[in-house]
Amino acid sequence: MSFPQYYHNAILCISERTGFSDSVLHIHAGLTILLIVHIVSRRSFATFIPFAFVVLAEGVNELLDYLAHGWRPTDTCLDIVNTLFWPFTISLVARVQPISKR
């Protein structure tokens, strides 16, 4: 079994055990990666560094999906939007909100 197929089977197992759809898993994965990188790197969301890691992780995920299943543009676009929407929104709000006086 190739690594992309093994990865796909692991995602299916997670989906079956949690009862979450693929879309919900993408939303949770994006937010989880954003928070973990924020905590580990101690970088503000406003730096967009935590968001960059979410983008990188989603790129790797979609590459593995492509290698396992081939090109599925509708599924890929939906996965990208679900994964990146809230992390991008959080990063953008952190970037544009005024810094409060201490």
Side-chain angles (χ1 to χ4, degrees), residues 8-25:
H8 174 71
N9 289 343
I11 299 301
L12 287 177
C13 182
I14 292 169
S15 180
E16 289 171 5
R17 290 186 180 186
T18 62
F20 291 155
S21 68
D22 184 60
S23 294
V24 172
L25 288 176

Side-chain angles (χ1 to χ4, degrees), residues 2-90:
S2 68
F3 182 75
Q5 191 60 44
Y6 175 78
Y7 177 78
H8 174 71
N9 289 343
I11 299 301
L12 287 177
C13 182
I14 292 169
S15 180
E16 289 171 5
R17 290 186 180 186
T18 62
F20 291 155
S21 68
D22 184 60
S23 294
V24 172
L25 288 176
H26 275 274
I27 294 166
H28 285 297
L31 289 170
T32 301
I33 293 165
L34 183 77
L35 291 173
I36 289 172
V37 174
H38 169 70
I39 291 166
V40 170
S41 71
R42 297 183 182 184
R43 298 287 188 143
S44 166
F45 294 124
T47 65
F48 281 101
I49 290 173
F51 178 71
F53 275 86
V54 176
V55 172
L56 178 65
E58 177 57 13
V60 170
N61 176 67
E62 292 308 319
L63 175 63
L64 290 171
D65 280 355
Y66 171 75
L67 294 173
H69 303 291
W71 179 241
R72 299 182 307 178
T74 304
D75 181 59
T76 299
C77 290
L78 184 61
D79 289 351
I80 291 169
V81 168
N82 281 330
T83 304
L84 301 182
F85 178 78
W86 285 113
F88 177 75
T89 303
I90 291 167

